[in-house]
Each structure stands twice: as structure tokens, then as C-alpha cells.
Amino acid sequence: MATQPYDPPFVTAEQFLAMDLGDHKAELDNGVIRLMAGGTVRHAEVQMNIAASLRDKLRGSGCRPYGSDMATRTGPATIRYPDVTVFCGRTADDAERKFFDDPVAIFEVLSAGTARTDLRVKLEEYRALATLDTIVFVDVVTERVRVIQRTGPHGFSDVSHTQAYDIPLPKLGAELPHDEIFARD
């Protein structure tokens, strides 16, 4: 018996956001639904450390960090759920929105299962977002960070830090200390 290759149906961003996936978490990758696995305890700790630290630093600024439940639309048929995303200028009228497409900063906490996609596919998608100033990849195992920051309309600096590094967030007027990212208490 011959088997037919599986060709998943193309799904638009609007269709995807209207779906009820129950307890499953997924992203829309160029029209294809991709299920996401949960992270480790350490991944969750670091994600919350980043969000909590940014929440305190950005209070009253008009900018706010969101966790991985807030979607970022990176293309017509691509919806991502970064670990932490900072959006600015949100109002009460946005309360029912399921995604934004104008992030200022994105933080991805790497795991063995997602690092390849995060560092290649998502990086290119994020860099294409005109509003995005800073992308940070956080390695919970080595406690290192890779910081990509916009230097002009089409330019970015891209530096991997092998030592403790406090991340400047110039567009947000803030800095995220290394010790706060990796705090264990």
C-alpha cells in the first residue's frame, strides 16, 4: 500500500486566531500550524524574571511586557508567541486583541527543542518588523545572552555575550540586568 505525503492545509492568521486548540499551544508558521511543547521549570523562571523586571522598569512609560500568551504577527500567515514581548502605546481599546504586529523588544528563552527555529527562522521574521528595536536570545543553561539591536533602517548589531551582561534597551529607556534575568529566588 502506497502512502501519500501529508500536505497540511494552509491556514490564515485570522483562521488560526479563531481556532480553539483546547489545552494545546501552537504557532502559525507560514500558514502551517505547529504544536509547541512546554518548557522546563528553569525556562519558566527566566521568562517570568524577564517579564517581572521589565514590568517594574516600564511602569508609567506607556510600554508593557507581555508573556507568551500574547501573539506577535510576523507575516500574513505567521503568528508567533515569544517568551516576552514589549509593546508600547496600547490602550483600553486593545483589551480584546489577540495579537499585535508592532513589538519594540522580543525575548526568546532558548531550549534544545526550539533553539534552531528561534535563532534562524524567527530571528529573520523579527528583524523584518519595522518597530522592533531589540531581540534577545537567552540561554538558560550557560546563562549567556545574544543581543541583536537595530542600528539604522536596515542595520543591526548582533553580539553574543559570554560574560554577565546588563542589556541596554535604548528605545525603552531601560536596562535589564543580567542578575535579574537569571535570579533563582
PDB file of all heavy atoms in Angstrom, residues 119-138:
ATOM      1  N   LEU A 119      16.656  30.806  16.479  1.00  0.00           N
ATOM      2  CA  LEU A 119      17.869  31.504  16.045  1.00  0.00           C
ATOM      3  C   LEU A 119      17.965  31.701  14.538  1.00  0.00           C
ATOM      4  O   LEU A 119      18.794  32.485  14.071  1.00  0.00           O
ATOM      5  CB  LEU A 119      19.104  30.755  16.544  1.00  0.00           C
ATOM      6  CG  LEU A 119      19.267  30.728  18.061  1.00  0.00           C
ATOM      7  CD1 LEU A 119      20.362  29.744  18.466  1.00  0.00           C
ATOM      8  CD2 LEU A 119      19.548  32.115  18.602  1.00  0.00           C
ATOM      9  N   ARG A 120      17.150  31.016  13.795  1.00  0.00           N
ATOM     10  CA  ARG A 120      17.203  31.150  12.336  1.00  0.00           C
ATOM     11  C   ARG A 120      15.911  31.745  11.790  1.00  0.00           C
ATOM     12  O   ARG A 120      15.876  32.874  11.330  1.00  0.00           O
ATOM     13  CB  ARG A 120      17.483  29.791  11.688  1.00  0.00           C
ATOM     14  CG  ARG A 120      18.870  29.291  11.987  1.00  0.00           C
ATOM     15  CD  ARG A 120      19.129  27.994  11.297  1.00  0.00           C
ATOM     16  NE  ARG A 120      20.478  27.532  11.638  1.00  0.00           N
ATOM     17  CZ  ARG A 120      20.929  26.370  11.295  1.00  0.00           C
ATOM     18  NH1 ARG A 120      20.194  25.524  10.616  1.00  0.00           N
ATOM     19  NH2 ARG A 120      22.157  26.014  11.635  1.00  0.00           N
ATOM     20  N   VAL A 121      14.860  30.976  11.843  1.00  0.00           N
ATOM     21  CA  VAL A 121      13.597  31.377  11.214  1.00  0.00           C
ATOM     22  C   VAL A 121      12.993  32.595  11.912  1.00  0.00           C
ATOM     23  O   VAL A 121      12.695  33.609  11.275  1.00  0.00           O
ATOM     24  CB  VAL A 121      12.596  30.197  11.217  1.00  0.00           C
ATOM     25  CG1 VAL A 121      11.251  30.616  10.660  1.00  0.00           C
ATOM     26  CG2 VAL A 121      13.166  29.013  10.459  1.00  0.00           C
ATOM     27  N   LYS A 122      12.818  32.494  13.222  1.00  0.00           N
ATOM     28  CA  LYS A 122      12.180  33.598  13.942  1.00  0.00           C
ATOM     29  C   LYS A 122      13.043  34.848  13.937  1.00  0.00           C
ATOM     30  O   LYS A 122      12.519  35.959  13.828  1.00  0.00           O
ATOM     31  CB  LYS A 122      11.857  33.180  15.378  1.00  0.00           C
ATOM     32  CG  LYS A 122      10.746  32.150  15.463  1.00  0.00           C
ATOM     33  CD  LYS A 122      10.440  31.829  16.903  1.00  0.00           C
ATOM     34  CE  LYS A 122       9.413  30.738  17.021  1.00  0.00           C
ATOM     35  NZ  LYS A 122       9.103  30.444  18.441  1.00  0.00           N
ATOM     36  N   LEU A 123      14.357  34.685  14.034  1.00  0.00           N
ATOM     37  CA  LEU A 123      15.236  35.848  14.001  1.00  0.00           C
ATOM     38  C   LEU A 123      15.007  36.668  12.738  1.00  0.00           C
ATOM     39  O   LEU A 123      14.853  37.892  12.800  1.00  0.00           O
ATOM     40  CB  LEU A 123      16.705  35.436  14.098  1.00  0.00           C
ATOM     41  CG  LEU A 123      17.721  36.561  13.895  1.00  0.00           C
ATOM     42  CD1 LEU A 123      17.523  37.687  14.905  1.00  0.00           C
ATOM     43  CD2 LEU A 123      19.133  36.004  13.960  1.00  0.00           C
ATOM     44  N   GLU A 124      14.931  36.017  11.600  1.00  0.00           N
ATOM     45  CA  GLU A 124      14.717  36.747  10.343  1.00  0.00           C
ATOM     46  C   GLU A 124      13.334  37.397  10.308  1.00  0.00           C
ATOM     47  O   GLU A 124      13.184  38.512   9.810  1.00  0.00           O
ATOM     48  CB  GLU A 124      14.931  35.833   9.138  1.00  0.00           C
ATOM     49  CG  GLU A 124      16.381  35.445   8.965  1.00  0.00           C
ATOM     50  CD  GLU A 124      17.351  36.626   9.009  1.00  0.00           C
ATOM     51  OE1 GLU A 124      17.120  37.625   8.289  1.00  0.00           O
ATOM     52  OE2 GLU A 124      18.323  36.568   9.782  1.00  0.00           O
ATOM     53  N   GLU A 125      12.336  36.715  10.828  1.00  0.00           N
ATOM     54  CA  GLU A 125      10.995  37.305  10.886  1.00  0.00           C
ATOM     55  C   GLU A 125      10.995  38.541  11.785  1.00  0.00           C
ATOM     56  O   GLU A 125      10.429  39.577  11.432  1.00  0.00           O
ATOM     57  CB  GLU A 125       9.989  36.295  11.427  1.00  0.00           C
ATOM     58  CG  GLU A 125       9.709  35.144  10.498  1.00  0.00           C
ATOM     59  CD  GLU A 125       8.825  34.087  11.123  1.00  0.00           C
ATOM     60  OE1 GLU A 125       8.196  34.343  12.183  1.00  0.00           O
ATOM     61  OE2 GLU A 125       8.750  32.985  10.556  1.00  0.00           O
ATOM     62  N   TYR A 126      11.619  38.424  12.936  1.00  0.00           N
ATOM     63  CA  TYR A 126      11.642  39.536  13.881  1.00  0.00           C
ATOM     64  C   TYR A 126      12.400  40.729  13.304  1.00  0.00           C
ATOM     65  O   TYR A 126      11.967  41.876  13.442  1.00  0.00           O
ATOM     66  CB  TYR A 126      12.272  39.110  15.206  1.00  0.00           C
ATOM     67  CG  TYR A 126      11.510  38.038  15.967  1.00  0.00           C
ATOM     68  CD1 TYR A 126      12.162  37.246  16.906  1.00  0.00           C
ATOM     69  CD2 TYR A 126      10.158  37.802  15.763  1.00  0.00           C
ATOM     70  CE1 TYR A 126      11.487  36.272  17.621  1.00  0.00           C
ATOM     71  CE2 TYR A 126       9.470  36.831  16.463  1.00  0.00           C
ATOM     72  CZ  TYR A 126      10.139  36.062  17.403  1.00  0.00           C
ATOM     73  OH  TYR A 126       9.477  35.096  18.112  1.00  0.00           O
ATOM     74  N   ARG A 127      13.525  40.471  12.683  1.00  0.00           N
ATOM     75  CA  ARG A 127      14.327  41.566  12.110  1.00  0.00           C
ATOM     76  C   ARG A 127      13.542  42.337  11.045  1.00  0.00           C
ATOM     77  O   ARG A 127      13.800  43.516  10.822  1.00  0.00           O
ATOM     78  CB  ARG A 127      15.620  41.017  11.505  1.00  0.00           C
ATOM     79  CG  ARG A 127      16.651  40.632  12.545  1.00  0.00           C
ATOM     80  CD  ARG A 127      17.832  39.921  11.919  1.00  0.00           C
ATOM     81  NE  ARG A 127      18.394  40.675  10.824  1.00  0.00           N
ATOM     82  CZ  ARG A 127      19.653  41.066  10.728  1.00  0.00           C
ATOM     83  NH1 ARG A 127      20.497  40.773  11.692  1.00  0.00           N
ATOM     84  NH2 ARG A 127      20.077  41.721   9.686  1.00  0.00           N
ATOM     85  N   ALA A 128      12.589  41.697  10.401  1.00  0.00           N
ATOM     86  CA  ALA A 128      11.795  42.349   9.355  1.00  0.00           C
ATOM     87  C   ALA A 128      10.709  43.272   9.914  1.00  0.00           C
ATOM     88  O   ALA A 128      10.113  44.046   9.165  1.00  0.00           O
ATOM     89  CB  ALA A 128      11.162  41.291   8.452  1.00  0.00           C
ATOM     90  N   LEU A 129      10.461  43.218  11.214  1.00  0.00           N
ATOM     91  CA  LEU A 129       9.434  44.071  11.826  1.00  0.00           C
ATOM     92  C   LEU A 129      10.010  45.473  12.048  1.00  0.00           C
ATOM     93  O   LEU A 129      10.947  45.653  12.827  1.00  0.00           O
ATOM     94  CB  LEU A 129       8.961  43.467  13.150  1.00  0.00           C
ATOM     95  CG  LEU A 129       8.277  42.106  13.031  1.00  0.00           C
ATOM     96  CD1 LEU A 129       8.068  41.491  14.409  1.00  0.00           C
ATOM     97  CD2 LEU A 129       6.958  42.224  12.281  1.00  0.00           C
ATOM     98  N   ALA A 130       9.445  46.457  11.385  1.00  0.00           N
ATOM     99  CA  ALA A 130       9.992  47.819  11.390  1.00  0.00           C
ATOM    100  C   ALA A 130      10.049  48.447  12.778  1.00  0.00           C
ATOM    101  O   ALA A 130      10.926  49.277  13.047  1.00  0.00           O
ATOM    102  CB  ALA A 130       9.179  48.707  10.448  1.00  0.00           C
ATOM    103  N   THR A 131       9.155  48.078  13.671  1.00  0.00           N
ATOM    104  CA  THR A 131       9.111  48.696  15.000  1.00  0.00           C
ATOM    105  C   THR A 131      10.087  48.066  15.982  1.00  0.00           C
ATOM    106  O   THR A 131      10.351  48.645  17.037  1.00  0.00           O
ATOM    107  CB  THR A 131       7.700  48.567  15.606  1.00  0.00           C
ATOM    108  OG1 THR A 131       7.367  47.178  15.700  1.00  0.00           O
ATOM    109  CG2 THR A 131       6.676  49.310  14.772  1.00  0.00           C
ATOM    110  N   LEU A 132      10.591  46.898  15.652  1.00  0.00           N
ATOM    111  CA  LEU A 132      11.411  46.141  16.600  1.00  0.00           C
ATOM    112  C   LEU A 132      12.803  46.744  16.733  1.00  0.00           C
ATOM    113  O   LEU A 132      13.522  46.912  15.754  1.00  0.00           O
ATOM    114  CB  LEU A 132      11.512  44.674  16.173  1.00  0.00           C
ATOM    115  CG  LEU A 132      12.092  43.746  17.231  1.00  0.00           C
ATOM    116  CD1 LEU A 132      11.214  43.721  18.470  1.00  0.00           C
ATOM    117  CD2 LEU A 132      12.228  42.358  16.680  1.00  0.00           C
ATOM    118  N   ASP A 133      13.183  47.052  17.963  1.00  0.00           N
ATOM    119  CA  ASP A 133      14.489  47.637  18.250  1.00  0.00           C
ATOM    120  C   ASP A 133      15.472  46.605  18.795  1.00  0.00           C
ATOM    121  O   ASP A 133      16.645  46.643  18.465  1.00  0.00           O
ATOM    122  CB  ASP A 133      14.330  48.772  19.266  1.00  0.00           C
ATOM    123  CG  ASP A 133      15.637  49.479  19.546  1.00  0.00           C
ATOM    124  OD1 ASP A 133      16.177  50.104  18.616  1.00  0.00           O
ATOM    125  OD2 ASP A 133      16.123  49.393  20.697  1.00  0.00           O
ATOM    126  N   THR A 134      14.990  45.689  19.638  1.00  0.00           N
ATOM    127  CA  THR A 134      15.889  44.761  20.319  1.00  0.00           C
ATOM    128  C   THR A 134      15.313  43.354  20.329  1.00  0.00           C
ATOM    129  O   THR A 134      14.137  43.158  20.637  1.00  0.00           O
ATOM    130  CB  THR A 134      16.127  45.218  21.783  1.00  0.00           C
ATOM    131  OG1 THR A 134      16.640  46.553  21.776  1.00  0.00           O
ATOM    132  CG2 THR A 134      17.101  44.304  22.496  1.00  0.00           C
ATOM    133  N   ILE A 135      16.173  42.387  20.008  1.00  0.00           N
ATOM    134  CA  ILE A 135      15.849  40.963  20.098  1.00  0.00           C
ATOM    135  C   ILE A 135      16.893  40.352  21.031  1.00  0.00           C
ATOM    136  O   ILE A 135      18.088  40.589  20.854  1.00  0.00           O
ATOM    137  CB  ILE A 135      15.949  40.255  18.733  1.00  0.00           C
ATOM    138  CG1 ILE A 135      15.111  40.978  17.682  1.00  0.00           C
ATOM    139  CG2 ILE A 135      15.551  38.782  18.855  1.00  0.00           C
ATOM    140  CD1 ILE A 135      15.478  40.608  16.246  1.00  0.00           C
ATOM    141  N   VAL A 136      16.435  39.590  22.015  1.00  0.00           N
ATOM    142  CA  VAL A 136      17.367  38.962  22.950  1.00  0.00           C
ATOM    143  C   VAL A 136      17.086  37.470  22.998  1.00  0.00           C
ATOM    144  O   VAL A 136      15.944  37.053  23.230  1.00  0.00           O
ATOM    145  CB  VAL A 136      17.242  39.570  24.365  1.00  0.00           C
ATOM    146  CG1 VAL A 136      18.215  38.894  25.330  1.00  0.00           C
ATOM    147  CG2 VAL A 136      17.467  41.074  24.340  1.00  0.00           C
ATOM    148  N   PHE A 137      18.131  36.683  22.778  1.00  0.00           N
ATOM    149  CA  PHE A 137      18.054  35.234  22.951  1.00  0.00           C
ATOM    150  C   PHE A 137      18.759  34.903  24.252  1.00  0.00           C
ATOM    151  O   PHE A 137      19.907  35.314  24.467  1.00  0.00           O
ATOM    152  CB  PHE A 137      18.709  34.503  21.780  1.00  0.00           C
ATOM    153  CG  PHE A 137      17.967  34.696  20.488  1.00  0.00           C
ATOM    154  CD1 PHE A 137      18.465  35.528  19.504  1.00  0.00           C
ATOM    155  CD2 PHE A 137      16.762  34.051  20.267  1.00  0.00           C
ATOM    156  CE1 PHE A 137      17.778  35.717  18.310  1.00  0.00           C
ATOM    157  CE2 PHE A 137      16.065  34.238  19.079  1.00  0.00           C
ATOM    158  CZ  PHE A 137      16.568  35.071  18.104  1.00  0.00           C
ATOM    159  N   VAL A 138      18.071  34.162  25.122  1.00  0.00           N
ATOM    160  CA  VAL A 138      18.576  33.870  26.457  1.00  0.00           C
ATOM    161  C   VAL A 138      18.816  32.372  26.570  1.00  0.00           C
ATOM    162  O   VAL A 138      17.897  31.578  26.352  1.00  0.00           O
ATOM    163  CB  VAL A 138      17.551  34.325  27.519  1.00  0.00           C
ATOM    164  CG1 VAL A 138      18.052  34.015  28.916  1.00  0.00           C
ATOM    165  CG2 VAL A 138      17.237  35.813  27.362  1.00  0.00           C
TER     166      VAL A 138
END
